[in-house]
Amino acid sequence: MAAPMHRCWALLRSLTLSLPAAGYHAKPRIWGLSGVYKPDPRDPETKEWHIGPKFEAKLYGKHGEASQVDPEALWPRPEKLRELEEEEREWYPSLGDMLERVEAKDRELAKKKEERERLIASNLAKMPKMVADWRRDKREAKQKLREEQIRRDRLVAKAREKFGVSMDPRSVKFQELVKELEKEDKKNQKALKKRTEAAGVGAKAGNAPAAGSP
């Protein structure tokens, strides 16, 4: 049993040693005097995350004074500190600021609600007058349309009486005749209105007391 196992190991050793070995050799870490690993920032092969204040902060947090890192150098500069404070105020407001914002929003919503209710109450108060005006305008429009239709029928009847019943009311000539009668009718109504106004002014002048009369 031992002879076959020995032959197998010998065969494996011969196959392994006949293959070329890897040529990679990792560089040894640079350890400081305190036993803390600190990469050389001047080495071009040093990674970016092994350079800078963040890595030094990790070293100081892990090894303390043994890291030989100056904690004052880790503290942000005044302008960076102001920037961080401004960012904190914007994205992480205090409880008082959040409560003030909530109260301001509630006041704004209450104001809008009050204005809306006041507008609704004002419109409801105006509703009866608006409805009455709408009904009056509707009655006046109907009355005007009825009077216009009556006047139009009267002009058509007058045109038929003047130019003959046999004329087609849809013809162009008949429509032109109706328009001429319509112009004449408007002219007569205008003249009648002027005479009525003149008569009214004369009547007022006659009823007025003379100057100096008791």
Side-chain angles (χ1 to χ4, degrees):
M1 183 68 181
M5 290 296 295
H6 181 72
R7 286 196 297 271
C8 289
W9 282 111
L11 179 62
L12 289 173
R13 189 181 300 110
S14 62
L15 293 175
T16 304
L17 294 176
S18 62
L19 296 175
Y24 172 75
H25 296 281
K27 291 183 179 181
R29 287 188 171 187
I30 303 174
W31 296 89
L33 297 177
S34 59
V36 179
Y37 169 66
K38 295 185 66 175
D40 187 3
R42 296 170 297 180
D43 188 355
E45 295 186 2
T46 301
K47 304 301 181 182
E48 293 183 1
W49 54 85
H50 285 167
I51 303 174
K54 289 186 177 180
F55 182 72
E56 292 184 353
K58 289 181 180 180
L59 287 179
Y60 186 80
K62 184 177 182 180
H63 302 285
E65 295 182 357
S67 64
Q68 297 180 357
V69 175
D70 184 10
E72 294 183 0
L74 302 177
W75 191 257
R77 297 184 301 276
E79 55 272 13
K80 182 62 177 179
L81 185 60
R82 287 192 294 269
E83 182 180 346
L84 292 174
E85 290 175 352
E86 185 67 26
E87 182 179 355
E88 184 177 358
R89 281 193 296 268
E90 181 179 358
W91 295 102
Y92 305 100
S94 63
L95 180 60
D97 293 339
M98 289 191 292
L99 290 176
E100 185 177 355
R101 292 180 184 178
V102 171
E103 291 176 357
K105 188 174 182 180
D106 291 341
R107 288 194 299 268
E108 184 179 359
L109 292 176
K111 182 179 178 181
K112 290 183 178 180
K113 182 179 179 181
E114 183 180 355
E115 292 177 354
R116 184 171 63 253
E117 291 177 352
R118 185 163 52 248
L119 178 62
I120 293 174
S122 177
N123 291 336
L124 288 176
K126 296 177 182 177
M127 187 63 69
K129 185 177 183 302
M130 293 172 64
V131 172
D133 294 343
W134 174 78
R135 289 177 177 175
R136 186 188 67 251
D137 295 340
K138 191 175 181 180
R139 287 195 302 270
E140 291 178 355
K142 286 184 178 180
Q143 182 65 23
K144 186 175 181 180
L145 184 62
R146 190 181 301 110
E147 292 176 355
E148 184 67 21
Q149 186 64 36
I150 293 174
R151 188 178 66 84
R152 185 75 176 177
D153 294 342
R154 180 171 55 81
L155 291 175
V156 171
K158 188 175 181 181
R160 284 182 173 179
E161 182 182 353
K162 186 174 182 180
F163 302 105
V165 183
S166 60
M167 183 175 291
D168 187 3
R170 294 172 296 179
S171 62
V172 178
K173 186 176 181 180
F174 187 83
Q175 296 296 329
E176 291 178 354
L177 293 174
V178 171
K179 287 182 180 180
E180 291 294 331
L181 291 174
E182 188 174 6
K183 289 181 181 179
E184 184 179 355
D185 185 68
K186 288 182 179 180
K187 185 177 180 180
N188 294 334
Q189 288 183 1
K190 195 173 183 180
L192 178 62
K193 185 177 179 181
K194 286 184 177 180
R195 289 196 299 269
T196 304
E197 290 177 354
V201 171
K204 288 182 180 180
N207 295 331
S213 59

Short mmCIF file of all heavy atoms in Angstrom, two decimals, residues 37-43 46-61 67-77:
data_model
loop_
_atom_site.label_atom_id
_atom_site.label_comp_id
_atom_site.label_asym_id
_atom_site.label_seq_id
_atom_site.Cartn_x
_atom_site.Cartn_y
_atom_site.Cartn_z
N TYR A 37 1.68 50.54 9.94
CA TYR A 37 1.91 50.57 8.50
C TYR A 37 1.48 51.93 7.93
O TYR A 37 0.34 52.32 8.04
CB TYR A 37 1.14 49.45 7.81
CG TYR A 37 1.13 49.58 6.30
CD1 TYR A 37 2.30 49.46 5.57
CD2 TYR A 37 -0.06 49.83 5.62
CE1 TYR A 37 2.30 49.59 4.20
CE2 TYR A 37 -0.07 49.95 4.25
CZ TYR A 37 1.12 49.83 3.53
OH TYR A 37 1.12 49.98 2.18
N LYS A 38 2.44 52.63 7.33
CA LYS A 38 2.17 53.92 6.70
C LYS A 38 2.78 53.90 5.31
O LYS A 38 4.01 53.84 5.15
CB LYS A 38 2.77 55.07 7.52
CG LYS A 38 2.14 55.24 8.89
CD LYS A 38 2.68 56.45 9.60
CE LYS A 38 2.26 57.71 8.89
NZ LYS A 38 2.66 58.93 9.62
N PRO A 39 1.96 53.90 4.25
CA PRO A 39 2.50 53.88 2.89
C PRO A 39 3.23 55.19 2.58
O PRO A 39 2.94 56.24 3.15
CB PRO A 39 1.25 53.71 2.02
CG PRO A 39 0.14 54.25 2.84
CD PRO A 39 0.50 53.95 4.27
N ASP A 40 4.18 55.09 1.67
CA ASP A 40 4.97 56.24 1.26
C ASP A 40 4.16 57.07 0.27
O ASP A 40 3.86 56.61 -0.84
CB ASP A 40 6.28 55.79 0.63
CG ASP A 40 7.21 56.97 0.36
OD1 ASP A 40 6.83 58.11 0.72
OD2 ASP A 40 8.27 56.75 -0.23
N PRO A 41 3.77 58.31 0.59
CA PRO A 41 2.97 59.11 -0.35
C PRO A 41 3.75 59.50 -1.60
O PRO A 41 3.14 59.85 -2.62
CB PRO A 41 2.58 60.34 0.48
CG PRO A 41 3.60 60.42 1.55
CD PRO A 41 4.01 59.02 1.85
N ARG A 42 5.07 59.43 -1.55
CA ARG A 42 5.88 59.77 -2.72
C ARG A 42 5.99 58.63 -3.72
O ARG A 42 6.43 58.84 -4.85
CB ARG A 42 7.27 60.20 -2.26
CG ARG A 42 7.29 61.47 -1.42
CD ARG A 42 8.63 61.71 -0.80
NE ARG A 42 8.96 60.63 0.14
CZ ARG A 42 10.09 60.58 0.84
NH1 ARG A 42 10.99 61.54 0.70
NH2 ARG A 42 10.31 59.56 1.66
N ASP A 43 5.60 57.43 -3.29
CA ASP A 43 5.66 56.28 -4.18
C ASP A 43 4.51 56.37 -5.19
O ASP A 43 3.34 56.45 -4.81
CB ASP A 43 5.56 54.99 -3.37
CG ASP A 43 5.83 53.76 -4.23
OD1 ASP A 43 5.98 53.91 -5.46
OD2 ASP A 43 5.87 52.65 -3.66
N THR A 46 1.54 53.99 -4.77
CA THR A 46 0.68 54.08 -3.59
C THR A 46 -0.75 54.45 -4.02
O THR A 46 -0.94 55.36 -4.82
CB THR A 46 1.22 55.12 -2.61
OG1 THR A 46 2.54 54.76 -2.23
CG2 THR A 46 0.35 55.18 -1.36
N LYS A 47 -1.72 53.75 -3.49
CA LYS A 47 -3.11 53.98 -3.87
C LYS A 47 -3.60 55.32 -3.33
O LYS A 47 -3.10 55.84 -2.33
CB LYS A 47 -4.01 52.85 -3.34
CG LYS A 47 -3.57 51.47 -3.78
CD LYS A 47 -3.55 51.33 -5.29
CE LYS A 47 -3.13 49.94 -5.72
NZ LYS A 47 -3.05 49.80 -7.20
N GLU A 48 -4.62 55.87 -4.03
CA GLU A 48 -5.15 57.18 -3.64
C GLU A 48 -5.80 57.13 -2.26
O GLU A 48 -5.76 58.10 -1.51
CB GLU A 48 -6.16 57.66 -4.68
CG GLU A 48 -5.54 57.97 -6.04
CD GLU A 48 -6.57 58.51 -7.01
OE1 GLU A 48 -7.74 58.65 -6.60
OE2 GLU A 48 -6.21 58.79 -8.16
N TRP A 49 -6.46 56.00 -1.94
CA TRP A 49 -7.15 55.91 -0.64
C TRP A 49 -6.17 55.69 0.52
O TRP A 49 -6.59 55.61 1.66
CB TRP A 49 -8.20 54.80 -0.66
CG TRP A 49 -7.68 53.46 -1.08
CD1 TRP A 49 -7.08 52.52 -0.31
CD2 TRP A 49 -7.72 52.91 -2.39
NE1 TRP A 49 -6.75 51.41 -1.04
CE2 TRP A 49 -7.13 51.62 -2.33
CE3 TRP A 49 -8.21 53.36 -3.62
CZ2 TRP A 49 -7.01 50.79 -3.45
CZ3 TRP A 49 -8.09 52.53 -4.72
CH2 TRP A 49 -7.49 51.28 -4.64
N HIS A 50 -4.87 55.55 0.22
CA HIS A 50 -3.86 55.48 1.27
C HIS A 50 -3.14 56.81 1.46
O HIS A 50 -2.11 56.86 2.14
CB HIS A 50 -2.82 54.39 0.92
CG HIS A 50 -3.33 53.01 1.13
ND1 HIS A 50 -2.70 51.89 0.66
CD2 HIS A 50 -4.45 52.56 1.77
CE1 HIS A 50 -3.38 50.82 1.00
NE2 HIS A 50 -4.46 51.19 1.68
N ILE A 51 -3.66 57.86 0.82
CA ILE A 51 -3.07 59.19 0.92
C ILE A 51 -4.17 60.18 1.30
O ILE A 51 -5.28 60.12 0.77
CB ILE A 51 -2.42 59.63 -0.41
CG1 ILE A 51 -1.37 58.60 -0.85
CG2 ILE A 51 -1.78 61.00 -0.29
CD1 ILE A 51 -0.79 58.88 -2.22
N GLY A 52 -3.86 61.09 2.17
CA GLY A 52 -4.80 62.13 2.50
C GLY A 52 -5.30 62.07 3.92
O GLY A 52 -5.00 61.13 4.69
N PRO A 53 -6.09 63.07 4.31
CA PRO A 53 -6.54 63.16 5.71
C PRO A 53 -7.47 62.04 6.13
O PRO A 53 -7.52 61.68 7.30
CB PRO A 53 -7.24 64.53 5.76
CG PRO A 53 -7.61 64.83 4.34
CD PRO A 53 -6.56 64.21 3.49
N LYS A 54 -8.24 61.47 5.20
CA LYS A 54 -9.17 60.40 5.58
C LYS A 54 -8.40 59.17 6.07
O LYS A 54 -8.75 58.56 7.09
CB LYS A 54 -10.07 60.03 4.40
CG LYS A 54 -11.10 61.09 4.06
CD LYS A 54 -12.05 60.60 2.98
CE LYS A 54 -13.13 61.64 2.69
NZ LYS A 54 -14.05 61.17 1.64
N PHE A 55 -7.35 58.81 5.32
CA PHE A 55 -6.57 57.64 5.73
C PHE A 55 -5.83 57.92 7.03
O PHE A 55 -5.73 57.05 7.92
CB PHE A 55 -5.59 57.26 4.62
CG PHE A 55 -4.78 56.04 4.93
CD1 PHE A 55 -5.35 54.79 4.91
CD2 PHE A 55 -3.44 56.16 5.26
CE1 PHE A 55 -4.60 53.65 5.20
CE2 PHE A 55 -2.68 55.04 5.55
CZ PHE A 55 -3.26 53.78 5.52
N GLU A 56 -5.30 59.14 7.17
CA GLU A 56 -4.61 59.49 8.40
C GLU A 56 -5.58 59.50 9.59
O GLU A 56 -5.21 59.13 10.71
CB GLU A 56 -3.95 60.85 8.25
CG GLU A 56 -2.78 60.84 7.26
CD GLU A 56 -2.08 62.17 7.20
OE1 GLU A 56 -2.59 63.13 7.82
OE2 GLU A 56 -1.04 62.26 6.54
N ALA A 57 -6.83 59.91 9.34
CA ALA A 57 -7.83 59.87 10.41
C ALA A 57 -8.11 58.43 10.83
O ALA A 57 -8.29 58.13 12.02
CB ALA A 57 -9.10 60.56 9.96
N LYS A 58 -8.14 57.52 9.85
CA LYS A 58 -8.34 56.10 10.19
C LYS A 58 -7.16 55.58 11.01
O LYS A 58 -7.36 54.83 11.99
CB LYS A 58 -8.49 55.28 8.91
CG LYS A 58 -9.79 55.52 8.18
CD LYS A 58 -9.87 54.66 6.94
CE LYS A 58 -11.18 54.88 6.19
NZ LYS A 58 -11.26 54.05 4.96
N LEU A 59 -5.94 55.98 10.60
CA LEU A 59 -4.77 55.54 11.36
C LEU A 59 -4.81 56.06 12.79
O LEU A 59 -4.54 55.32 13.74
CB LEU A 59 -3.49 56.02 10.66
CG LEU A 59 -3.09 55.30 9.38
CD1 LEU A 59 -1.81 55.93 8.82
CD2 LEU A 59 -2.90 53.82 9.60
N TYR A 60 -5.17 57.34 12.95
CA TYR A 60 -5.22 57.92 14.29
C TYR A 60 -6.33 57.28 15.11
O TYR A 60 -6.18 57.05 16.31
CB TYR A 60 -5.42 59.42 14.19
CG TYR A 60 -5.34 60.11 15.53
CD1 TYR A 60 -4.10 60.40 16.11
CD2 TYR A 60 -6.49 60.47 16.23
CE1 TYR A 60 -4.00 61.02 17.35
CE2 TYR A 60 -6.42 61.09 17.47
CZ TYR A 60 -5.16 61.36 18.02
OH TYR A 60 -5.08 61.97 19.25
N GLY A 61 -7.46 56.99 14.46
CA GLY A 61 -8.54 56.34 15.18
C GLY A 61 -8.20 54.92 15.58
O GLY A 61 -8.72 54.41 16.59
N SER A 67 0.30 56.27 15.76
CA SER A 67 0.27 56.51 14.31
C SER A 67 1.12 57.70 13.90
O SER A 67 1.35 57.90 12.71
CB SER A 67 -1.16 56.73 13.86
OG SER A 67 -1.70 57.91 14.46
N GLN A 68 1.59 58.49 14.90
CA GLN A 68 2.41 59.68 14.63
C GLN A 68 1.66 60.68 13.72
O GLN A 68 2.26 61.36 12.91
CB GLN A 68 3.75 59.28 14.00
CG GLN A 68 4.61 58.42 14.88
CD GLN A 68 5.93 58.06 14.24
OE1 GLN A 68 6.18 58.41 13.08
NE2 GLN A 68 6.77 57.36 14.99
N VAL A 69 0.34 60.72 13.84
CA VAL A 69 -0.49 61.67 13.09
C VAL A 69 -0.86 62.81 14.01
O VAL A 69 -1.29 62.58 15.15
CB VAL A 69 -1.76 60.99 12.54
CG1 VAL A 69 -2.67 62.02 11.86
CG2 VAL A 69 -1.40 59.88 11.57
N ASP A 70 -0.69 64.03 13.53
CA ASP A 70 -1.03 65.21 14.32
C ASP A 70 -2.55 65.40 14.28
O ASP A 70 -3.11 65.66 13.22
CB ASP A 70 -0.33 66.44 13.73
CG ASP A 70 -0.59 67.68 14.59
OD1 ASP A 70 -1.13 67.52 15.71
OD2 ASP A 70 -0.23 68.79 14.14
N PRO A 71 -3.25 65.29 15.39
CA PRO A 71 -4.71 65.41 15.37
C PRO A 71 -5.18 66.81 14.96
O PRO A 71 -6.28 66.96 14.43
CB PRO A 71 -5.13 65.07 16.80
CG PRO A 71 -3.91 65.30 17.62
CD PRO A 71 -2.74 65.00 16.73
N GLU A 72 -4.36 67.82 15.21
CA GLU A 72 -4.75 69.17 14.78
C GLU A 72 -4.83 69.28 13.26
O GLU A 72 -5.62 70.06 12.73
CB GLU A 72 -3.76 70.19 15.33
CG GLU A 72 -3.77 70.31 16.85
CD GLU A 72 -2.84 71.39 17.34
OE1 GLU A 72 -2.18 72.03 16.48
OE2 GLU A 72 -2.74 71.59 18.56
N ALA A 73 -3.98 68.50 12.57
CA ALA A 73 -4.02 68.54 11.10
C ALA A 73 -5.29 67.90 10.56
O ALA A 73 -5.68 68.15 9.41
CB ALA A 73 -2.80 67.84 10.53
N LEU A 74 -5.94 67.04 11.36
CA LEU A 74 -7.17 66.39 10.92
C LEU A 74 -8.39 67.29 11.08
O LEU A 74 -9.43 67.03 10.47
CB LEU A 74 -7.40 65.09 11.71
CG LEU A 74 -6.27 64.05 11.62
CD1 LEU A 74 -6.61 62.86 12.51
CD2 LEU A 74 -6.06 63.61 10.19
N TRP A 75 -8.28 68.33 11.88
CA TRP A 75 -9.41 69.23 12.10
C TRP A 75 -9.61 70.10 10.85
O TRP A 75 -8.65 70.59 10.27
CB TRP A 75 -9.15 70.11 13.31
CG TRP A 75 -10.35 70.87 13.75
CD1 TRP A 75 -10.61 72.18 13.54
CD2 TRP A 75 -11.47 70.36 14.46
NE1 TRP A 75 -11.81 72.53 14.07
CE2 TRP A 75 -12.37 71.42 14.65
CE3 TRP A 75 -11.79 69.09 14.96
CZ2 TRP A 75 -13.58 71.26 15.31
CZ3 TRP A 75 -12.99 68.95 15.62
CH2 TRP A 75 -13.87 70.02 15.79
N PRO A 76 -10.84 70.26 10.37
CA PRO A 76 -11.06 71.03 9.13
C PRO A 76 -10.66 72.49 9.29
O PRO A 76 -10.72 73.06 10.39
CB PRO A 76 -12.57 70.87 8.89
CG PRO A 76 -13.15 70.54 10.22
CD PRO A 76 -12.10 69.76 10.94
N ARG A 77 -10.29 73.08 8.17
CA ARG A 77 -9.93 74.50 8.15
C ARG A 77 -11.18 75.34 8.42
O ARG A 77 -12.31 74.86 8.26
CB ARG A 77 -9.32 74.86 6.80
CG ARG A 77 -8.01 74.12 6.52
CD ARG A 77 -7.42 74.61 5.20
NE ARG A 77 -8.34 74.41 4.09
CZ ARG A 77 -8.46 73.27 3.43
NH1 ARG A 77 -7.72 72.22 3.77
NH2 ARG A 77 -9.31 73.16 2.43
#
